[in-house]
Amino acid sequence: EPLGAQYREGASPFPGVRAFDVVFLGLDGTPVHARLLLPTAQPGGKLPCVLRFHGSSGSRGTVADHAAWLLSGTAVLAMDYRMQGGQTGSNTGFTGGPVYDEFVFGVAEPTSFYFYHVITDALRLIELALAHAEIDPRRLAVEGASQGGGTSLTLAALHPAVSLCLADMPSFCDMERRLFYRTGGARAVAELITRRPEMLETVCATFSYFDNLNHAASIRCLV
């Protein structure tokens, strides 16, 4: 599916850094909001780029939130997850709710699960980076904590263009254990199973597609 990317340059607080608001299309046509920050490249050179993924209920952040990477001469792409603290909505028909309810959305089927759309949005963000004339496709990193760390590990396993993965306290690891111990977002799913115990096997099957225990062996980049 075409990315349909649109770029709008905005103000930057840092000399030598251009800031762009970006909108691209998810697989279901959802407009996904992102931020592209480009420090000045060396003459004739292309920029390394880090794709940054936020924790639950967060957002792509301000330009200043990415200052450390920009000062190192690294471009930044940061994406708003669907229906969290940023501008990205969803065309999937999901409704809003408490912060962790995204673990319940569509959990009966892997391709309808909330995190299926998150991961496919993130994979398309990589394609956006690879298509950009000023970004070096050989130097792509993924980085994030918690939800963002889990996403980073998954991308490192699924996309060969990722050359460095910086995952801090990653989520999506041993998800069945999280379900039974009701940790973080899995608490909402545990409450669903308490009401509908016949869904346990279905939920665990869906979780298995997104559990980084099952993806880890495919990671070939530096971590």
Side-chain angles (χ1 to χ4, degrees):
E1 294 293 330
L3 286 169
Q6 299 179 16
Y7 296 82
R8 181 174 61 84
E9 188 163 7
S12 170
F14 304 124
V17 174
R18 288 172 294 152
F20 297 85
D21 290 321
V22 186
V23 179
F24 65 94
L25 299 179
L27 288 181
D28 61 353
T30 293
V32 180
H33 292 259
R35 190 180 305 285
L36 172 64
L37 306 173
L38 295 171
T40 302
Q42 295 296 321
K46 292 190 175 186
L47 293 164
C49 182
V50 59
L51 285 70
R52 306 195 71 195
F53 299 99
H54 63 75
S56 184
S57 78
S59 74
R60 56 190 165 150
T62 67
V63 178
D65 290 330
H66 307 288
W69 285 105
L70 298 171
L71 290 170
S72 74
T74 302
V76 173
L77 260 174
M79 177 189 85
D80 284 340
Y81 284 65
R82 297 176 178 225
M83 302 172 61
Q84 295 194 22
Q87 293 179 275
T88 301
S90 182
N91 287 352
T92 60
F94 294 147
T95 57
V99 168
Y100 291 118
D101 275 7
E102 59 261 20
F103 269 78
V104 177
F105 294 157
V107 73
E109 294 286 345
T111 56
S112 67
F113 189 33
Y114 174 84
F115 286 102
Y116 168 81
H117 297 284
V118 164
I119 297 303
T120 55
D121 289 347
L123 287 167
R124 287 170 73 76
L125 189 71
I126 293 178
E127 295 302 318
L128 190 82
L130 292 173
H132 199 283
E134 296 182 58
I135 291 175
D136 186 347
R138 300 166 302 173
R139 294 187 290 168
L140 290 185
V142 290
E143 184 259 348
S146 190
Q147 172 184 255
T151 302
S152 296
L153 283 178
T154 304
L155 295 180
L158 296 182
H159 205 300
V162 176
S163 57
L164 175 65
C165 176
L166 302 169
D168 184 14
M169 298 182 295
S171 185
F172 318 147
C173 297
D174 201 354
M175 291 178 72
E176 285 192 20
R177 185 178 188 276
R178 292 191 60 189
L179 174 63
F180 286 102
Y181 284 90
R182 297 173 175 252
T183 61
R187 182 182 300 112
V189 185
E191 291 170 358
L192 171 66
I193 292 171
T194 298
R195 297 192 300 272
R196 297 186 57 190
E198 74 278 6
M199 289 193 66
L200 175 60
E201 185 174 343
T202 297
V203 167
C204 289
T206 295
F207 274 10
S208 71
Y209 287 89
F210 301 90
D211 195 325
N212 281 313
L213 287 182
N214 299 327
H215 294 306
S218 298
I219 297 175
R220 296 289 182 266
C221 67
L222 294 173
V223 292

